[in-house]
Amino acid sequence: DAGVIQSPRHEVTEMGQEVTLRCKPISGHNSLFWYRQTMMRGLELLIYFNNNVPIDDSGMPEDRFSAKMPNASFSTLKIQPSEPRDSAVYFCASSFGLGGAYGYTFGSGTRLTVV
Amino acid sequence: KNEVEQSPQNLTAQEGEFITINCSYSVGISALHWLQQHPGGGIVSLFMLSSGKKKHGRLIATINIQEKHSSLHITASHPRDSAVYICAVLREFETSGSRLTFGEGTQLTVNP
């Protein structure tokens, strides 16, 4: 298995533009997590899905952020409009079981820079 | 006070030294993870443990549930061990299953 695959690896965009981050979880994993990592706040959970259904989105910063999981093999995190304070590394992780009780596999992350 | 606290925040060692990174938590957990993150790199799960001790190569992780404390040890450290090590605890929530809560990480630098 290729692991959790995120794209793009790096994204530089101008303030106000729409940004879409993509994630392909490990086949067979039924929980998917989006995390954001910044120097100031460390790793924060944004949202997680179980069996393609959002279970907890309390970490999503505001309405500019949205996430979808249309099927078991694909998820997107969208920011519209983007702002400089959204600059961070965004990680996707997947696991088996509700909430990742059986271990996690992280993707390589997407480094987002909003200028 | 953070629910998960790591110490030290930064650690510099000479190649070959024995290294210990500590993690204390203040909440009930079902498991604890040690994660490794290299500069500019992804996050790798090193261990998931709920009791006792686990060993993988030069890495050893221990946990004391009663004292709410875990340690990550690296024996015979090497410059390639230089990374950020993150402690994360798995907590159970009644309606939403389990979630990870992360420590702030320990930046380890091993000099040759």
Side-chain angles (χ1 to χ4, degrees), chain A residues 31-72:
Chain A
S31 285
L32 182 140
F33 308 81
W34 282 102
Y35 293 98
R36 178 171 67 176
Q37 186 180 39
T38 61
M39 289 291 291
M40 291 294 294
R41 300 170 69 95
L43 275 160
E44 303 173 280
L45 177 67
L46 298 177
I47 185 170
Y48 93 82
F49 296 86
N50 181 254
N51 294 326
N52 312 337
V53 175
I55 301 298
D56 186 346
D57 65 355
S58 58
M60 294 286 265
E62 50 198 85
D63 290 346
R64 297 185 296 107
F65 285 68
S66 63
K68 294 183 180 179
M69 191 164 187
N71 57 62

Side-chain angles (χ1 to χ4, degrees), chain A residues 9-30:
Chain A
R9 286 297 306 273
H10 301 275
E11 176 81 34
V12 180
T13 191
E14 290 185 345
M15 183 173 65
Q17 296 297 306
E18 177 181 294
V19 176
T20 300
L21 312 181
R22 297 174 176 79
C23 176
K24 178 176 164 42
I26 287 177
S27 176
H29 281 188
N30 62 350

Side-chain angles (χ1 to χ4, degrees), chain A residues 9 33 35 37 40 42-45 48 55-56 58-59 89 91 98-109 111, chain B residues 30-31 33 35 37 39-45 48 84 86 90-100 102-104:
Chain A
R9 286 297 306 273
F33 308 81
Y35 293 98
Q37 186 180 39
M40 291 294 294
L43 275 160
E44 303 173 280
L45 177 67
Y48 93 82
I55 301 298
D56 186 346
S58 58
V89 181
F91 286 98
L98 181 63
Y102 299 99
Y104 287 68
T105 301
F106 286 81
S108 298
R111 183 174 294 276
Chain B
S30 55
H33 290 252
L35 310 172
Q37 185 174 25
I43 296 172
V44 174
S45 179
M48 184 173 86
V84 175
I86 302 168
L90 193 64
R91 301 174 60 191
E92 300 281 344
F93 293 87
E94 201 169 305
T95 55
S96 57
S98 308
R99 288 175 57 177
L100 283 178
F102 298 89
E104 293 185 350

Side-chain angles (χ1 to χ4, degrees), chain B residues 23-78:
Chain B
C23 176
S24 296
Y25 52 92
S26 57
V27 294
I29 70 170
S30 55
L32 183 144
H33 290 252
W34 281 102
L35 310 172
Q36 180 193 56
Q37 185 174 25
H38 281 99
I43 296 172
V44 174
S45 179
L46 298 174
F47 296 102
M48 184 173 86
L49 63 165
S50 55
S51 66
K53 180 166 96 172
K54 286 190 176 180
K55 185 175 189 292
H56 181 70
R58 296 179 295 105
L59 302 178
I60 303 167
T62 64
I63 189 169
N64 184 317
I65 295 293
Q66 286 73 31
E67 294 186 4
K68 296 187 174 178
H69 181 270
S70 175
S71 294
L72 176 69
H73 305 285
I74 305 175
T75 61
S77 60
H78 190 276

